[in-house]
Amino acid sequence: MRPLSWDLPKPLMPLWGKPLIARALDMLRDWGVREALINLHHRPDAVFQYLRARDNRSMALTFSFEPEILGAGGALDRAAFFLDDAPFWIVNTDIAADVSPGPFLREFARRRPLAVLWLDPRRGPRTVRTTRHGAIAGFSSPSPGSPGTSTFCGLHLVSPEILKWIPPGRASSIIDAYQRALKAGRSVHGVQVAGSFWADLGSPEQYLAAHADTRDCWRRRAPGARLFGPPRQGVIRELRAQRVDIQGVVWIGDGVKIEPGARIRDSVVWSGAVLGKRAIVERAVIGKGAVVRGRMTGAAIRADCLAHDRALVQALAAIGWPLDSCTLAPLPARGSDRSFTRVLHGNRTAILARHGTQRSDNPLYAGHSRFLLRRGVPVPRVLADLPDQRTVVLEDVGDRSLLSSAGAISPAGLERRYRATFDALLAMHSIPVRCLRQRPMEPAFSANVYRWERELMSNHLLRNRFRMKKHAVSGILSELEAVARRLLRVPPVLVHRDAQSSNVMWRSGRPILIDFQSMRMGPAAYDVASLLADPYAMLEPALQARLLAYYLSRSPAPETVRECFWLAAVERLAQALGAFGRLSALPGLSRFADYITPAIAMMARALEHLQGFPRLTAFARAHRHTFSGTGCSCARRIASATARRRVNQGAGRLSSGGRDSSGSRACARRPRRPAALQKRVRRKSRCGPATA
């Protein structure tokens, strides 16, 4: 839930105005729990003070402080003093739950397992395997989402015997403890509770979805309706009367200031936030006291929530922006070890870019930007460079890329933008070689670089994803090696290296190139193919041909580019396919799998212009069948990809058996007499003590 968890720890995040931990404790209280232990790690003072001020007369609270993260198992070991020999509940406080305890209690009494876990067979990653009798067979299914798999929902009824399987005095996972117990012959069971509601709130997208889902449950009088708290209609009516446009599922906290003209749609605005008259807030969570004066999606928090972040403090000081007057809005992940955050200061914005140590090209960005600007290549200006902090502050060039603009403008307008982009690339391709001899850059395209690109495709797509046999992979690699040999004969120029449509921003009527840190010497056709054979955009063949002709008419070496364009397209697409295969296997990046089939379809199109590549051609023809066809429009392709991305990002995700560093967990004890307890549950009377 970062960055929101730097503003509020997850247990205190409100769902329809009520903190998640309050909802968890109220649920346990309704079950008859009278004692709860709260395990605290991230921002423990905030959670402690909230619970201290809350009316807890019906439940005794104990606190276990966890200065160093111990994991669910280690935290339970630390809280062993609280347990006796009765079963107890463990509840994650980053979920929304409406469920009865009865199925857990009955399964526990009937089977006497080590634990009974709440499972959902429909939502989430579905990695837990169960038998037809409900016994858990494993927690890491080799085929997640297949029949017989479920998602662990973060609530379990546990025997204190679990402590036998937890290594004492160190960090550990409770799922690992369960797996050790399974290997020793102990049983762990799961229950799928009919008439229940569960939502994982592990990301801002899921947090917003939980608001929409619970409102829908309330409208349908379905399980989950009790989690809905009607929005403050009086406040919303007053704001609408003041010409504030409010649409969809919206919650507005206390003390929020919204100027007339602001627009809010499907968003949650926490207390004390300020929305200016030009604010357009869509599918966003606005943190406490954050100030938004323009378009905002995702999440935004006050910069002083990260006053402990040395790099951020130094970066803002370098551009003269006070920390306490700035708002931060992280941008979506781009599949690398870099992160980008928009910084808002009044009506001004900048981009804070950070990078890790995985790649050697990231530290080159600032120097490349200054160099390219001097040579007339449109790129973002560097406002501050902090190499020791691996941080750069960049000019904000907006959110509209060449890719995203395709569905919003006419075909003629789109073609003009592509032509302007080629003018920008030509400015780069035309830089004299003598000006580059002392320029630190990534190694030029060579036999080794091309080998790396085809092995990326081999390892992450052909072998890992398609499970192709060794001889078939070898045949494809040999043909890609032949492509590389022909490209190595081409005189090199300075190329962008990643010139796809998503790396071209559009602002004030002109293109601005981004992500150029990997620029190097290579064939100009590689950049041309990156743009025209881009699987993100899937340009129609006729538009491809016109744009290629435009580039050739202005190129200093048109025949060279013409002769190797389709070869470069095959090479670039091989690299892209390898990248899509690698990225789609990483957590939270499954959306990149959407582009594998379009990339193969585009490779098939390229191979139609070439001879002598039978294995590549057979591969492309065999795997392009799920694509809708080479004649689909760019706008339709983008809309389709966007829809699939939203589905992927909205799907629930729950890490097995635990919570991240911002979460808390509730443990609840059952009374010592299970039979009597079950009778009391049926009669809707009090259950027993609990810990949180």
Side-chain angles (χ1 to χ4, degrees):
M1 280 289 274
R2 291 183 179 176
L4 294 170
S5 57
W6 289 116
D7 188 357
L8 272 179
K10 279 199 286 188
L12 296 186
M13 291 183 186
L15 176 62
W16 292 111
K18 186 173 182 178
L20 295 175
I21 195 167
R23 292 187 177 279
L25 290 173
D26 287 352
M27 179 180 69
L28 292 170
R29 181 201 60 207
D30 292 344
W31 293 359
V33 170
R34 291 295 174 264
E35 298 175 69
L37 180 141
I38 312 296
N39 185 67
L40 300 173
H41 173 69
H42 177 65
R43 299 281 304 278
D45 53 336
V47 180
F48 178 78
Q49 293 301 332
Y50 168 78
L51 292 174
R52 184 180 182 185
R54 185 176 183 265
D55 182 2
N56 297 302
R57 284 174 294 181
S58 61
M59 183 179 292
L61 299 184
T62 302
F63 296 90
S64 176
F65 292 89
E66 184 182 329
E68 298 295 330
I69 191 72
L70 294 174
L76 189 57
D77 174 67
R78 188 183 184 92
F81 70 90
F82 182 78
L83 305 177
D84 53 25
D85 58 356
F88 58 94
W89 300 98
I90 300 179
V91 184
N92 291 0
T93 55
D94 58 356
I95 64 171
D98 184 5
V99 63
S100 166
F104 299 86
L105 298 169
R106 289 190 291 272
E107 184 73 4
F108 200 96
R110 183 167 58 247
R111 306 284 187 181
R112 290 296 174 185
L114 182 64
V116 177
L117 281 60
W118 186 16
L119 302 179
D120 189 323
R122 298 175 302 277
R123 306 176 68 182
R126 294 170 58 192
T127 59
V128 181
R129 293 181 292 115
T130 56
T131 69
R132 60 190 180 93
H133 299 295
I136 291 177
F139 290 88
S140 301
S141 170
S143 303
S146 60
T149 60
S150 301
T151 298
F152 170 50
C153 300
L155 186 153
H156 27 166
L157 179 62
V158 187
S159 165
E161 184 189 350
I162 187 65
L163 295 173
K164 291 170 49 179
W165 311 103
I166 297 175
R170 62 183 179 88
S172 65
S173 162
I174 197 168
I175 297 300
D176 290 342
Y178 286 150
Q179 289 175 327
R180 284 189 285 269
L182 289 176
K183 289 181 180 179
R186 199 68 170 87
S187 67
V188 178
H189 278 242
V191 291
Q192 300 172 7
V193 184
S196 64
F197 174 87
W198 165 76
D200 177 21
L201 279 68
S203 70
E205 295 80 11
Q206 292 171 331
Y207 177 71
L208 291 172
H211 283 80
D213 291 345
T214 49
R215 188 190 71 162
D216 182 61
C217 292
W218 176 75
R219 285 179 167 178
R220 294 185 293 107
R221 299 182 180 181
R226 61 183 293 177
L227 302 175
F228 174 71
R232 302 156 68 200
Q233 294 295 343
V235 173
I236 290 180
R237 279 196 299 268
E238 182 179 347
L239 288 170
R240 284 175 171 160
Q242 297 173 5
R243 293 184 295 109
V244 175
D245 184 8
I246 300 176
Q247 302 291 334
V249 180
V250 174
W251 170 263
I252 298 174
D254 295 328
V256 174
K257 298 179 180 179
I258 306 177
E259 296 180 5
R263 294 160 55 186
I264 311 170
R265 182 184 182 91
D266 295 328
S267 297
V268 173
V269 184
W270 290 352
S271 61
V274 177
L275 306 185
K277 61 183 179 181
R278 292 186 176 86
I280 303 175
V281 178
E282 296 181 338
R283 300 184 306 280
V285 183
I286 309 301
K288 295 188 305 177
V291 179
V292 177
R293 302 195 183 280
R295 183 177 294 275
M296 181 63 62
T297 59
I301 64 168
R302 301 185 329 275
D304 56 9
C305 293
L306 292 171
H308 61 279
D309 187 331
R310 182 179 176 185
L312 172 66
V313 173
Q314 291 184 3
L316 295 183
I319 60 175
W321 292 4
L323 185 73
D324 59 2
S325 64
C326 292
T327 294
L328 305 179
L331 302 181
R334 290 175 61 89
S336 71
D337 69 339
R338 292 177 299 151
S339 65
F340 298 89
T341 301
R342 176 166 284 118
V343 183
L344 299 86
H345 175 58
N347 293 321
R348 303 166 67 189
T349 62
I351 299 296
L352 184 78
R354 309 198 208 199
H355 63 83
T357 58
Q358 296 177 8
R359 296 182 49 153
S360 59
D361 56 355
N362 286 328
L364 303 175
Y365 192 101
H368 285 352
S369 174
R370 298 186 185 102
F371 171 78
L372 292 172
L373 283 170
R374 289 195 300 268
R375 305 302 306 187
V377 181
V379 297
R381 292 181 296 113
V382 173
L383 306 180
D385 183 17
L386 288 73
D388 291 344
Q389 301 291 339
R390 301 195 297 276
T391 299
V392 180
V393 183
L394 301 170
E395 171 190 15
D396 186 355
V397 295
D399 296 314
R400 180 62 60 87
S401 69
L402 183 62
L403 175 66
S404 63
S405 66
I409 61 176
S410 67
L414 178 64
E415 186 167 347
R416 286 193 294 272
R417 292 193 176 188
Y418 268 91
R419 290 185 176 194
T421 301
F422 272 137
D423 291 339
L425 287 173
L426 279 163
M428 177 180 281
H429 297 169
S430 301
I431 296 175
V433 174
R434 67 177 183 277
C435 299
L436 302 169
R437 288 175 184 146
Q438 303 301 318
R439 176 94 235 138
M441 289 190 296
E442 287 294 280
F445 273 100
S446 63
N448 287 336
V449 172
Y450 287 128
R451 181 184 304 111
W452 179 87
E453 290 194 342
R454 61 179 176 267
E455 287 180 353
L456 185 72
M457 176 181 174
S458 168
N459 294 332
H460 295 284
L461 186 84
L462 305 182
R463 291 190 173 99
N464 291 353
R465 191 175 189 90
F466 288 161
R467 307 293 180 184
M468 292 179 64
K469 295 182 179 179
K470 186 176 180 180
H471 72 276
V473 173
S474 298
I476 290 174
L477 289 178
S478 67
E479 293 186 358
L480 286 173
E481 185 177 4
V483 170
R485 285 197 300 269
R486 291 168 66 175
L487 291 175
L488 284 171
R489 301 173 193 157
V490 177
V493 299
L494 179 63
V495 296
H496 182 289
R497 168 60 168 75
D498 290 303
Q500 69 258 23
S501 57
S502 60
N503 284 339
V504 181
M505 309 306 293
W506 196 264
R507 193 186 67 168
S508 302
R510 70 188 188 107
I512 300 177
L513 308 180
I514 63 172
D515 274 17
F516 46 79
Q517 66 277 0
S518 294
M519 71 180 197
R520 65 190 71 201
M521 301 301 293
Y526 192 95
D527 275 355
V528 180
S530 297
L531 194 60
L532 295 186
D534 181 4
Y536 290 130
M538 291 303 291
L539 298 182
E540 295 179 354
L543 179 57
Q544 265 184 331
R546 292 197 302 272
L547 290 172
L548 177 58
Y550 177 84
Y551 179 90
L552 295 175
S553 70
R554 284 156 176 76
S555 169
E559 289 306 315
T560 301
V561 175
R562 189 195 313 274
E563 290 173 2
C564 66
F565 169 74
W566 292 112
L567 289 168
V570 171
E571 178 64 34
R572 172 62 182 177
L573 289 163
Q575 186 275 338
L577 283 166
F580 295 153
R582 181 183 69 84
L583 293 171
S584 63
L586 298 177
L589 297 178
S590 61
R591 64 184 184 275
F592 284 100
D594 291 340
Y595 301 106
I596 291 175
T597 299
I600 295 173
M602 185 61 77
M603 181 178 280
R605 186 193 301 181
L607 289 164
E608 291 173 358
H609 296 265
L610 301 170
Q611 294 181 347
F613 303 100
R615 295 177 180 86
L616 273 170
T617 301
F619 162 77
R621 288 176 176 173
H623 292 280
R624 67 176 178 177
H625 61 279
T626 58
F627 184 57
S628 59
T630 57
C632 76
S633 69
C634 179
R636 185 180 302 169
R637 172 63 197 152
I638 292 165
S640 175
T642 301
R644 285 195 300 273
R645 282 200 298 271
R646 288 177 181 168
V647 170
N648 287 341
Q649 292 169 354
R653 178 179 56 81
L654 183 64
S655 59
S656 58
R659 48 111 177 102
D660 68 13
S661 62
S662 66
S664 294
R665 178 175 284 102
C667 305
R669 284 194 228 137
R670 268 186 70 207
R672 294 174 179 275
R673 298 177 62 187
L677 170 61
Q678 293 174 50
K679 183 179 292 185
R680 285 198 298 273
V681 169
R682 286 194 294 270
R683 289 152 69 179
K684 298 184 180 180
S685 61
R686 298 302 186 215
C687 290
T691 66

